[in-house]
């Protein structure tokens, strides 16, 4: 069974590449190609597709707002040169998110996820609330849902957790980019051991990763200075007092 796809990108060369990649995947069928969200909207008024590969940063109407405007959106894979759109992609339950420039191998992985979602979910399931983003810990391990993957994380490798509305950034030792997951700070706190402490409304830190405490700031490394919130100062100071060496 083939998956009928619509390719959308305002850049002609990017659209050409997208179409070429779709044609290389045996289970994808190119139903059409558009150079704007407005053109795509008009296309969908007269034809239906199973999935769309959609650029985000387009004039007049960006891809994210276009997908949100659809009454019954098909499966979506977003393409963009701007990584900050990844979090927003979660809100519309995108199947995948391809950061430009991407190659055929990355496109194939996104296509495989598209196929898996198409086979295992009915069309109505696409708009359901995502499943919980954390699975129960086992020893020193938790599993976080990110970008429609489930990632195994060693708890002791977590440096700190940063809250941003209903999402969290989980910063891992040795990794340049955080894991972004749909989860509350409270839920994360419940799954972390006692060597983690919340020091601010937006931060939970691994106490073993602290390098320095300077007034009301915790220094995790040369580039990471985290504030201690007023309501957390007393608890943090009490813990700190237990660590002082005195004569």
């Amino acid at each position: 069974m083939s998956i009928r796809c619509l390719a959308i990108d305002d850049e002609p060369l990017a659209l050409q590449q997208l179409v070429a990649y779709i044609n290389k995947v045996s289970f994808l069928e190119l139903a059409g190609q558009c150079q704007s969200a407005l053109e795509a909207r008009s296309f969908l008024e007269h034809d239906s597709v199973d999935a769309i590969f959609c650029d985000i940063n387009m004039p007049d109407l960006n891809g994210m707002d276009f997908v949100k405007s659809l009454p019954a959106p098909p499966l979506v894979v977003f393409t963009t040169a701007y990584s900050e759109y990844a979090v927003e992609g979660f809100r519309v339950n995108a199947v995948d998110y391809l950061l430009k420039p991407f190659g055929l191998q990355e496109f194939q992985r996104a296509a495989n996820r598209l196929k898996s979602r198409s086979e295992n979910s009915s069309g109505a399931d696409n708009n359901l609330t995502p499943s919980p983003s954390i699975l129960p810990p086992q020893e020193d391990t938790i599993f976080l849902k990110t970008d429609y993957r489930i990632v195994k994380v060693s708890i002791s490798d977590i440096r700190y957790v940063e809250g941003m509305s209903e999402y969290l950034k989980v910063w891992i030792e040795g990794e340049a980019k955080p894991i972004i997951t749909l989860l509350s700070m409270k839920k994360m706190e419940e799954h972390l051991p006692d060597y983690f402490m919340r020091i601010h409304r937006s931060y939970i830190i691994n106490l073993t990763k602290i390098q320095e405490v300077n007034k009301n700031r915790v220094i995790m490394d040369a580039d990471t200075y985290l504030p201690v919130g007023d309501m957390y100062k007393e608890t943090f100071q009490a813990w700190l007092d237990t660590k002082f060496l005195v004569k």
Side-chain angles (χ1 to χ4, degrees):
M1 179 179 177
S2 62
I3 299 173
R4 282 173 50 81
C5 301
L6 177 63
I8 310 167
D9 200 305
D10 65 306
E11 299 177 10
L13 290 178
L15 182 60
Q16 183 180 342
Q17 181 191 57
L18 194 55
V19 167
Y21 284 167
I22 289 172
N23 288 331
K24 287 179 183 293
V25 178
S26 61
F27 54 83
L28 298 183
E29 175 191 344
L30 182 67
Q33 51 184 296
C34 301
Q35 285 191 259
S36 74
L38 297 178
E39 184 183 344
R41 179 183 285 171
S42 177
F43 177 94
L44 292 175
E45 287 175 357
H46 303 94
D47 203 346
S48 62
V49 297
D50 304 309
I52 59 176
F53 288 85
C54 186
D55 184 31
I56 294 178
N57 193 33
M58 296 186 290
D60 298 325
L61 179 64
N62 73 45
M64 198 73 67
D65 290 338
F66 163 65
V67 171
K68 289 178 182 178
S69 74
L70 297 176
L75 298 174
V76 180
V77 174
F78 283 119
T79 67
T80 184
Y82 302 94
S83 59
E84 63 266 24
Y85 286 113
V87 172
E88 189 67 18
F90 284 109
R91 297 181 187 275
V92 294
N93 206 10
V95 173
D96 207 348
Y97 174 91
L98 289 168
L99 186 62
K100 296 177 180 179
F102 54 87
L104 180 58
Q105 186 175 2
E106 294 165 290
F107 181 87
Q108 181 72 62
R109 282 198 296 267
N112 289 340
R113 289 175 188 162
L114 195 64
K115 182 181 180 183
S116 178
R117 180 80 72 86
S118 179
E119 290 173 343
N120 297 325
S121 302
S122 67
D125 288 337
N126 297 332
N127 297 315
L128 293 179
T129 302
S131 58
S133 297
I134 190 168
L135 299 179
Q138 183 177 10
E139 300 175 350
D140 186 46
T141 299
I142 56 175
F143 292 84
L144 298 175
K145 184 177 180 183
T146 179
D147 193 23
Y148 298 95
R149 297 175 296 128
I150 295 178
V151 180
K152 179 181 177 182
V153 176
S154 174
I155 294 175
S156 59
D157 286 340
I158 297 174
R159 296 175 59 242
Y160 65 97
V161 179
E162 180 181 357
M164 31 177 222
S165 188
E166 67 265 43
Y167 294 89
L168 299 181
K169 289 182 178 179
V170 182
W171 294 88
I172 307 297
E173 191 77 42
E175 298 292 336
K177 295 182 179 179
I179 295 171
I180 299 175
T181 187
L182 177 61
L183 194 66
S184 69
M185 290 287 277
K186 183 176 184 298
K187 196 69 170 178
M188 177 61 85
E189 278 187 284
E190 292 173 357
H191 284 76
L192 294 175
D194 57 8
Y195 57 88
F196 283 83
M197 181 180 291
R198 190 164 183 175
I199 61 165
H200 187 275
R201 181 171 55 88
S202 300
Y203 295 104
I204 301 170
I205 63 169
N206 184 335
L207 297 169
T208 70
K209 306 293 185 183
I210 295 175
Q211 291 190 4
E212 185 179 332
V213 178
N214 188 334
K215 295 182 179 179
N216 292 324
R217 296 187 303 175
V218 174
I219 300 173
M220 306 299 287
D221 56 48
D223 300 315
T224 308
Y225 293 68
L226 305 180
V228 180
D230 289 341
M231 67 181 294
Y232 302 94
K233 284 179 183 177
E234 185 176 346
T235 302
F236 180 66
Q237 186 61 52
W239 172 83
L240 199 59
D241 288 345
T242 68
K243 302 301 177 183
F244 278 124
L245 292 180
V246 296
K247 291 184 179 179

